Amino acid sequence: MESDRRAGAVIAAMGAYVPKQVVDNNALARTLDTSDEWIYARTGIRRRHVAGPEETTATVSQRAAEECLRAAGFPAADLRWVLVSTDTPEMWNPASACFVQAGIGATQAVALDVTGGCSGFVASLGMARALAERGDPVLLIGCEVLSKAMDWSDRSTAVLFGDGAGAVLVLPADAARGLAIEAVYARTDGRDADILGKPYGGTRNPITPELVAGGHHHRIVMNGQYVFKHAVLRMAEAAEEALRIAGVGLEAVDWVIPHQANQRIMDAVADRLHVPREKVFSNVEEYANTGSASIGIALVEAIQQGLIRPGHNLLTVAFGSGFSWAGAVLRTEVVVPVGADLV
Ligand code: ACO
């Protein structure tokens, strides 16, 4: 007997938020030995949005969540899960998602954080799909407030990052139409765990007066060229594997929405996949690398710009600390409602 229940899960609505304080490259060049030319040539970044004194991972996440739920017309009280993918949590514990849950009134939800590097949002999309497939409405937010967690005197990392959040409402496929989550592929390789990250302030290197005096408490450790090389290889792999699982050929992809790490990485991934660069959405110039938030913000902007149409196949790919990498294929059944408070 044929079931009338549609299998799978869809993104039914999206939201995005970035802080209103903008720091451009010239502003950074006033305190760091750097320049707009150097930063733009190496990364494609011109400016980044930075949280104000009152803004935190919970408040920035909540703004994106509110935009998403308002666009969907979906009551927060009907959510079963609130997931926040972030590497810059509100605090050690409880989870950032608990504060978001309280803020939006998702009284029936379980609130959890995922620490998955810059690919945490895409990997979490796989979890959200599994939860939604069994009938649970899920709100997934990717958020970073990197500005409060990094060393602004280190020119090798300070120029790269920005703050923001993207949110998606993931529902069972028989409850809504939207961006059908056709496939999610996610991997990690912990052998490279020490290459990129923020190793101070945890249990391995607890905060001490000496640590703070040495300026270590905010330090981001990164081997830039090693990260660059692996980001290109792994994002290409994630793209190919996600497409293989979805049964979609590269030629049938209408838009690639990559993690906005930097323009040179995005260009290199496009070239490696033989995808025309015009099919690769980029807003890294405006927002810099917003980690787990970048794909949500990019998808929302692509929709706002009218680039996504019914029938379009979307490919998202990401790479980050861990190392971790992930790709997802989304099929546009209908263009989903989005709410956004961006530039
Ligand atoms: N301004 C001016 N000079 C700088 C700056 C800066 N902001 N930062 C570094 N330099 C200097 C270095 O000190 C070095 O000087 P030296 O030759 O006198 O020693 C010189 O520039 C070259 O440094 P490299 O690290 O070799 O520069 P590179 O061309 O590799 O570019 C970059 C650095 C942009 C970080 C590049 O390696 C990169 O994009 N890596 C990927 C990193 C990334 O995206 N990380 C984000 C997190 S992971 C993710 O999201 C995928």
Side-chain angles (χ1 to χ4, degrees):
M1 199 177 75
E2 211 175 53
S3 162
D4 60 359
R5 185 160 195 277
R6 264 196 338 140
V10 302
I11 294 173
M14 301 193 61
Y17 173 77
V18 293
K20 296 298 157 270
Q21 187 178 194
V22 175
V23 176
D24 67 15
N25 292 346
N26 291 320
L28 287 182
R30 285 197 275 280
T31 54
L32 293 173
D33 182 13
T34 190
S35 66
D36 179 49
E37 294 71 33
W38 193 97
I39 300 168
Y40 188 71
R42 296 291 203 296
T43 69
I45 296 166
R46 287 275 190 217
R47 61 194 79 85
R48 69 279 301 136
H49 290 240
V50 171
E54 308 297 322
E55 290 186 302
T56 67
T57 296
T59 68
V60 172
S61 294
Q62 186 177 328
R63 287 290 297 110
E66 288 165 347
E67 293 288 345
C68 177
L69 293 175
R70 193 176 308 124
F74 193 89
D78 288 354
L79 291 170
R80 187 69 187 96
W81 299 86
V82 175
L83 305 179
V84 174
S85 169
T86 186
D87 280 13
T88 52
E90 186 78 356
M91 51 184 72
W92 261 62
N93 75 324
S96 313
C98 292
F99 298 97
V100 180
Q101 171 186 26
I104 62 175
T107 48
Q108 303 306 307
V110 180
L112 296 173
D113 284 4
V114 176
T115 309
C118 297
S119 68
F121 178 79
V122 180
S124 300
L125 197 57
M127 295 198 285
R129 181 179 66 163
L131 294 167
E133 269 175 344
R134 62 176 217 187
D136 291 357
V138 183
L139 182 67
L140 166 63
I141 304 152
C143 178
E144 306 294 352
V145 178
L146 281 147
S147 65
K148 297 196 186 190
M150 69 188 193
D151 180 357
W152 282 96
S153 69
D154 175 10
R155 69 175 183 174
S156 66
T157 53
V159 303
L160 300 176
F161 300 107
D163 301 337
V168 289
L169 176 65
V170 180
L171 297 178
D174 57 359
R177 299 220 158 243
L179 306 179
I181 306 170
E182 297 288 308
V184 178
Y185 170 83
R187 291 281 307 276
T188 55
D189 186 346
R191 287 172 298 181
D192 282 328
D194 288 321
I195 300 285
L196 170 65
K198 202 167 164 296
Y200 301 101
T203 55
R204 185 191 290 185
N205 303 299
I207 299 248
T208 60
E210 296 74 31
L211 190 93
V212 176
H216 289 297
H217 55 302
H218 273 171
R219 192 144 292 156
I220 292 173
V221 169
M222 180 181 78
N223 178 334
Q225 288 182 6
Y226 189 82
V227 170
F228 190 108
K229 190 176 107 191
H230 284 261
V232 174
L233 293 174
R234 295 310 198 179
M235 282 164 84
E237 172 199 320
E240 283 162 353
E241 289 300 318
L243 288 167
R244 184 184 58 74
I245 297 165
V248 172
L250 255 174
E251 70 292 343
V253 172
D254 297 284
W255 282 100
V256 181
I257 316 275
H259 165 47
Q260 307 285 306
N262 80 45
Q263 192 59 50
R264 283 166 61 224
I265 291 179
M266 289 189 268
D267 289 346
V269 171
D271 294 350
R272 196 173 171 84
L273 292 171
H274 304 292
V275 170
R277 289 183 183 184
E278 311 80 71
K279 280 191 175 185
V280 180
F281 185 85
S282 173
N283 59 11
V284 72
E285 178 172 341
E286 178 65 36
Y287 303 114
N289 180 344
T290 57
S292 247
S294 83
I295 286 180
I297 296 170
L299 251 175
V300 164
E301 282 209 321
I303 290 172
Q304 281 187 319
Q305 291 170 21
L307 302 176
I308 313 288
R309 306 220 187 84
H312 274 183
N313 287 314
L314 313 179
L315 172 66
T316 69
V317 281
F319 177 86
S321 61
F323 284 162
S324 60
W325 59 102
V329 177
L330 308 172
R331 185 171 42 81
T332 314
E333 299 171 332
V334 295
V335 179
V336 296
V338 298
D341 184 1
L342 297 170
V343 275

